[in-house]
Amino acid sequence: MMRSRASRQLSIWIWCCACLLAMGNAEAQTTLRALAKTKGKLVGTSLSSNYIDNPASMPSGYQSTLANEFNVYVAENSFKMSELLPNAPANPFDIQISDLSTAKIDIMVARARENGVGMIRGHALIWHTQAPSWLTTSAPGWTADQITAFATSYIKAVVTYCKTINDAVDAPVRIYEWDVINETIDKSKARAKKRARGSAAKSSIEYRTGTWYDGVADRQAFIDAIFRAARNADPNLRLVYNDYGIEFYGSPKCNFMLNMVGGMVSRGVPIDGVGLQCHFIGPDPSGAGGFSSSDARKFEQTFAALRALGLDGIVTEFDLRLQTDSTTIEGNVTSQQLALQGDQYRLIVATALSQPNCPALVLWGFTDAHSWIPWACPGYGHALPFDRSYAKKPAYEGITTAIKALPTVEENKASSLTTTLPTVSAMTFGQALSNSTLSGGEGSVPGSFAFETLKEFL
Ligand code: XIL
């Protein structure tokens, strides 16, 4: 009798273990987008232009990873001005939709729709680089008012076109957010020149010079005007300032950014968030360096500072590059570097997505087969979570571990009841998602973000 009871208990125990193992396996096999959905977060990637334009040339590994793993897409290059306005318009100071190459937008929307992805980030309306050559030739002869008229009418045309896509009932895809201006903060060139001459001048930060919009002396007024133009063209669009090197609180560039966006908030200029590009450097071949826990604290403080302003922080272009053994694209890294990269990926994703004002983490590509890093930073590579054959790297496990540890949407709802809700200056994710025509299921966006959903019910 005793024996059979003991053996029954043993069988129950074995059965429980088997169930737990099966559950563990099911979870281990789940995709980033499925995991992120349960946590009310967006996890995205940029799409290589070649494959947006020529889907037939897309390797099957690229297509299946793209379709299975992500719930937000951004065009790596196709939404930049050189692509959307390649030819000189009849009147550059009053851009019309008919002046745009809207096919680029349509193709990206089609790729998202085919993969059941409902959310697209727009990147980037105004940028000093990847501007059409006709513009870089003409703009130096324009007055400040003409430059502003050009930029605001361009934004109006692009945003209005995207709004027609967002508003179409048969198009369950939303271009929900745009980087209104990219990288307009820079190291002071005057100081850099002084330093080169041996002067002891300290590094300082200023609005970027050497751009096609240099003719605008009052840079802040220009930035205010373009954000207002975007909001006027679509009151439901989220508007973002995007830059690199602003991730760590306390750095001169981060301070400048906080002052800039803080000023915008205080003047009532519509802005919803700041895009932290997060092009980070990982451990070197000796295993030293990379993203540290002290970096994580400064990163977290930046989100806190943005939150105090009522702004989101969005990870917009994440990659973590590794120093390789050669300057060619084929350069190799050590298995120790890849393992440490996985830990650092986990720390970065956990730090960002655990912030209540970080709704999304977007990778700048997902496979080492298609990454801008080996070209932009020779001697570096292997920056992304899938290798060149689309196999998952430790970095992928780092992302899943971090997302699994986040509270669920329900847990967030419960804890938000007792916390102060942040002020959000414009349309919120919750509203965006509930207003959208997206249907449920894997193909659609994740549930509304807890604090925003609650806000609607309070
Ligand atoms: C890069 C693309 O990845 C490259 O393909 C292109 O040649 C240059 O631009 N910051 C940005 C992105 O905001 O638009 C840049 O993308 C990478 C740095």
Side-chain angles (χ1 to χ4, degrees):
M1 186 64 187
M2 284 301 286
R3 268 175 77 100
S4 77
R5 202 166 139 201
S7 77
R8 224 179 19 249
Q9 278 175 345
L10 184 67
S11 338
I12 291 170
W13 188 79
I14 291 171
W15 182 81
C16 286
C17 287
C19 285
L20 281 172
L21 274 174
M23 280 164 64
N25 279 342
E27 210 185 24
Q29 282 162 17
T30 200
T31 62
L32 297 181
R33 69 187 280 182
L35 270 180
K37 185 175 175 177
T38 64
K39 312 297 175 143
K41 299 285 182 180
L42 298 169
V43 58
T45 181
S46 66
L47 269 71
S48 162
S49 317
N50 292 345
Y51 298 150
I52 300 178
D53 295 344
N54 309 305
S57 67
M58 203 185 283
S60 62
Y62 191 98
Q63 164 57 21
S64 59
T65 312
L66 191 62
N68 293 337
E69 297 287 350
F70 303 102
N71 55 13
V72 180
Y73 290 166
V74 58
E76 184 176 357
N77 291 301
S78 306
F79 281 19
K80 291 173 181 172
M81 200 194 281
S82 52
E83 302 281 328
L84 297 187
L85 193 59
N87 303 313
N91 178 358
F93 311 122
D94 188 16
I95 305 291
Q96 303 297 312
I97 291 177
S98 54
D99 294 322
L100 304 175
S101 281
T102 52
K104 295 283 174 182
I105 299 175
D106 296 346
I107 294 170
M108 180 71 179
V109 168
R111 295 289 90 79
R113 193 180 293 145
E114 281 156 17
N115 291 338
V117 166
M119 306 289 269
I120 293 178
R121 292 198 80 245
H123 169 81
L125 289 165
I126 302 296
W127 196 19
H128 60 282
T129 187
Q130 289 185 279
S133 53
W134 69 263
L135 177 68
T136 48
T137 312
S138 317
W142 294 349
T143 65
D145 284 350
Q146 286 174 320
I147 293 171
T148 307
F150 163 73
T152 52
S153 66
Y154 171 73
I155 288 174
K156 182 178 173 203
V158 174
V159 169
T160 304
Y161 185 76
C162 293
K163 186 172 186 298
T164 59
I165 294 171
N166 293 348
D167 291 349
V169 281
D170 64 339
V173 170
R174 255 197 115 83
I175 302 159
Y176 68 100
E177 173 171 280
W178 267 99
D179 294 328
V180 180
I181 185 163
N182 195 29
E183 302 178 354
T184 200
I185 306 174
D186 195 18
K187 285 199 183 75
S188 161
K189 290 203 170 64
R191 297 280 182 134
K193 271 187 203 142
K194 260 183 156 181
R195 261 201 320 283
R197 287 200 306 266
S199 146
K202 282 212 308 242
S203 119
S204 75
I205 301 292
E206 62 187 18
Y207 285 114
R208 181 181 291 276
T209 53
T211 71
W212 57 261
Y213 53 87
D214 269 9
V216 177
D218 187 345
R219 200 57 74 79
Q220 192 56 70
F222 175 70
I223 296 169
D224 290 1
I226 60 176
F227 274 79
R228 289 202 161 103
R231 175 55 41 88
N232 287 341
D234 182 357
N236 291 341
L237 182 68
R238 283 170 49 90
L239 309 179
V240 172
Y241 174 67
N242 194 53
D243 212 332
Y244 62 88
I246 53 171
E247 295 85 359
F248 300 124
Y249 188 80
S251 75
K253 194 165 174 181
C254 180
N255 282 344
F256 191 102
M257 174 278 288
L258 288 170
N259 278 330
M260 182 184 99
V261 297
M264 292 169 75
V265 170
S266 68
R267 288 191 297 279
V269 176
I271 175 167
D272 301 284
V274 171
L276 309 165
Q277 291 187 4
C278 298
H279 293 295
F280 292 141
I281 304 178
D284 68 20
S286 78
F291 192 92
S292 66
S293 51
S294 99
D295 291 334
R297 276 193 298 278
K298 290 184 225 151
F299 192 36
E300 194 170 3
Q301 282 175 297
T302 303
F303 286 100
L306 290 171
R307 194 170 183 218
L309 295 171
L311 298 175
D312 281 341
I314 303 125
V315 176
T316 49
E317 304 183 16
F318 177 38
D319 49 25
L320 187 89
R321 59 186 179 271
L322 299 177
Q323 194 187 327
T324 68
D325 62 3
S326 112
T327 51
T328 68
I329 184 178
E330 282 83 23
N332 290 311
V333 293
T334 66
S335 54
Q336 185 197 18
Q337 274 176 294
L338 291 172
L340 289 168
Q341 184 187 43
D343 292 343
Q344 295 183 7
Y345 253 76
R346 187 202 52 71
L347 180 60
I348 292 160
V349 176
T351 306
L353 288 184
S354 61
Q355 308 305 314
N357 61 330
C358 180
L361 179 131
V362 180
L363 289 152
W364 208 239
F366 55 91
T367 163
D368 293 333
H370 297 283
S371 163
W372 76 303
I373 290 295
W375 282 273
C377 313
Y380 286 84
H382 300 256
L384 294 166
F386 292 85
D387 72 11
R388 269 182 236 187
S389 314
Y390 305 95
K392 293 170 182 168
K393 293 163 57 183
Y396 180 90
E397 303 310 328
I399 304 177
T400 54
T401 308
I403 299 180
K404 280 177 192 169
L406 296 172
T408 62
V409 172
E410 288 69 31
E411 285 161 350
N412 262 332
K413 265 184 201 158
S415 68
S416 299
L417 280 171
T418 55
T419 58
T420 317
L421 296 169
T423 347
V424 178
S425 57
M427 167 122 150
T428 64
F429 258 93
Q431 288 163 324
L433 296 173
S434 60
N435 289 354
S436 81
T437 55
L438 300 173
S439 55
E442 255 288 85
S444 71
V445 296
S448 318
F449 295 93
F451 57 85
E452 302 304 354
T453 318
L454 269 175
K455 210 175 166 192
E456 291 182 58
F457 291 102
L458 282 177

